[in-house]
Amino acid sequence: MKIRPVHLAVGLSTALVALAGCERAGDGSGDVPFAGTSTSTDAADTAEKVSSGLYDLIGVKGKASDSHSTVVECSGRNAEEYFRILHPWSFVPADADDLGVAMEQLERGLPEHGWKIRDHGLDTSKNKNLRMTADHDGRKVSVRIIEMAKGTRRC
């Protein structure tokens, strides 16, 4: 089985924002809902802690990329008040055969830890990557995970 760098691209898009988020509570104008108030530094720290918890759920030996969270502006909004935090990272299992195991562990473990899987299935790429989106309403975070490997799909 030939593998690209496994991209359990945990693009952790947290909506922890100063004042509101990309939308004020209840106004329906933005694509990222209200997530409370925070400084960008505190929100970034929270995103990295959530990512660490996701890494623990993977449950197989491997290496995660060394990345840090970043602040993303909300288009058309005051950057001092509205922002999102992204913490993208990738994971490569020590054994290529554990890639599917890692994704299965997340599929099973996320709901057990308060996450709701909102979307799960193959993407439209030529490679037909397995992807999953999950939200944790209590923590006000969302994660997009993509299993990028060439070969037979489980779905």
Side-chain angles (χ1 to χ4, degrees), residues 35-109:
T37 60
S38 178
T39 65
S40 60
T41 301
D42 288 345
D45 289 346
T46 298
E48 291 186 19
K49 287 176 186 170
V50 171
S51 287
S52 179
L54 294 171
Y55 178 83
D56 292 343
L57 288 178
I58 291 171
V60 300
K61 291 183 181 185
K63 179 148 177 68
S65 61
D66 184 20
S67 65
H68 297 282
S69 53
T70 186
V71 177
V72 178
E73 293 181 8
C74 295
S75 179
R77 300 288 187 147
N78 178 342
E80 296 297 318
E81 295 180 0
Y82 299 91
F83 59 88
R84 294 178 293 152
I85 301 293
L86 300 179
H87 186 218
W89 54 279
S90 61
F91 174 81
V92 178
D95 182 340
D97 292 336
D98 283 340
L99 177 57
V101 174
M103 193 67 158
E104 289 170 4
Q105 293 280 78
L106 287 166
E107 290 169 19
R108 197 171 29 257

Side-chain angles (χ1 to χ4, degrees), residues 21-36:
C22 287
E23 115 180 12
R24 292 217 185 261
D27 80 355
S29 64
D31 62 348
V32 177
F34 177 76

Side-chain angles (χ1 to χ4, degrees), residues 4-24:
R4 291 184 194 174
V6 178
H7 201 72
L8 279 177
V10 179
L12 182 61
S13 176
T14 61
L16 300 173
V17 240
L19 291 185
C22 287
E23 115 180 12
R24 292 217 185 261

